[in-house]
Amino acid sequence: MSWESFLYMGGYALYVWPAYGVTALVLVGTLIWPVFQRKQLLRQLTIKQKRSQAR
């Protein structure tokens, strides 16, 4: 099996490679999104805490 035939995927490359790409993006997004959510939540909690202490 040559690299060219592997990349061509028996004529289905236009369907297979985008599917791999979308899957990779979803997996990376699933790993990164909670980090951003946590940072945002911590910022909001810090602001609320500072407001309550100022009263």
Side-chain angles (χ1 to χ4, degrees):
M1 176 186 251
S2 69
W3 280 104
E4 187 177 298
S5 64
F6 172 73
L7 293 176
Y8 187 61
M9 295 278 180
Y12 294 103
L14 290 175
Y15 304 105
V16 173
W17 292 115
Y20 282 152
V22 168
T23 302
L25 285 174
V26 169
L27 289 174
V28 169
T30 302
L31 293 172
I32 292 175
W33 185 254
V35 174
F36 289 121
Q37 290 278 34
R38 182 177 184 272
K39 286 182 182 180
Q40 183 180 9
L41 177 64
L42 289 174
R43 272 189 236 118
Q44 289 173 353
L45 290 174
T46 303
I47 291 169
K48 284 184 179 183
Q49 185 178 19
K50 285 180 182 178
R51 284 182 185 164
S52 68
Q53 288 176 352
R55 291 183 186 183

